[in-house]
Amino acid sequence: MRYTVQLTQGQTCGQIPVRNRQGEIVYILKGNLNEFNQPIILTDINHNEIGRLYLDSNHILASYSVDVVNHSLVKVKKLNSRFTNLFYITRLNYWVEGSLKQGRYSFYSGIKKVANVYSLVTDTGLTWTCDISRPEDVPFIILISLLFTQWHTKPLLLPTFNFQNRISAPS
């Protein structure tokens, strides 16, 4: 199953649609992408909550939790050393390999790949796509991928220029 999320500058706060392979909106992400301490909520198209991502603790290392309806709480742990940058998702026993900064990473259960995520910068903004193999993983992968996007993507604010052809007559 493929899901696509398009992040544009105008959508940093509010609702962001999650589209399936056919381009239909199947989920909605709600929240403020610029605030790490605000929850991000995933709903269906009828605005029924499916899950939420929130900051669990903000000590030296931040810890995030993913709370999906009818599932036990899942935490995102970051094991950081100078030799490796490894992420582990508790309860699901998933680990993440790849480059978050380059926008290409995969979720694994043991040696089996369960999802691929890749980002692409287009003329309308940042777009990331998730290829998820199991339907029960969809809310987790979407919310965790959004968290990784928050960690490694800064909002791009470009100035607007008002170009006017001003031809002044010689005086």
Side-chain angles (χ1 to χ4, degrees), residues 26-30 41-45 47-51:
V26 289
Y27 301 111
I28 299 170
L29 289 163
K30 298 179 179 183
I41 300 169
L42 179 69
T43 67
D44 62 13
I45 57 173
H47 302 285
N48 298 317
E49 184 175 335
I50 296 170

Side-chain angles (χ1 to χ4, degrees), residues 3 25-26 30 44 58 77 82 84 98 114 117 125 141 158 160 164 171:
Y3 298 95
I25 298 174
V26 289
K30 298 179 179 183
D44 62 13
N58 196 10
K77 302 286 185 181
R82 19 181 264 206
T84 184
V114 294
V117 180
I141 302 295
L158 297 175
T160 55
Q164 296 178 358
S171 6

Side-chain angles (χ1 to χ4, degrees), residues 15-32:
Q15 299 182 10
I16 301 169
V18 179
R19 300 179 187 276
N20 62 11
R21 187 180 294 266
Q22 292 78 26
E24 302 164 337
I25 298 174
V26 289
Y27 301 111
I28 299 170
L29 289 163
K30 298 179 179 183
N32 190 342

Side-chain angles (χ1 to χ4, degrees), residues 60-130:
I60 294 173
L61 289 175
S63 172
Y64 289 86
S65 295
V66 179
D67 188 7
V68 172
V69 176
N70 298 326
H71 197 281
S72 51
L73 196 65
V74 172
K75 296 195 180 277
V76 178
K77 302 286 185 181
K78 182 178 179 184
L79 307 172
N80 213 357
S81 75
R82 19 181 264 206
F83 301 111
T84 184
N85 194 13
L86 183 68
F87 295 90
Y88 180 73
I89 293 89
T90 64
R91 301 272 185 191
L92 297 175
N93 295 325
Y94 287 173
W95 56 280
V96 180
E97 181 190 51
S99 174
L100 300 179
K101 289 182 181 181
Q102 293 178 359
R104 294 192 182 281
Y105 50 93
S106 299
F107 291 78
Y108 289 89
S109 176
I111 60 169
K112 183 180 178 193
K113 189 183 296 186
V114 294
N116 279 327
V117 180
Y118 52 94
S119 302
L120 180 65
V121 177
T122 64
D123 56 351
T124 57
L126 177 69
T127 301
W128 51 266
T129 302
C130 301

Side-chain angles (χ1 to χ4, degrees), residues 6-17:
Q6 187 173 41
L7 303 171
T8 61
Q9 285 181 322
Q11 294 175 324
T12 55
C13 182
Q15 299 182 10
I16 301 169

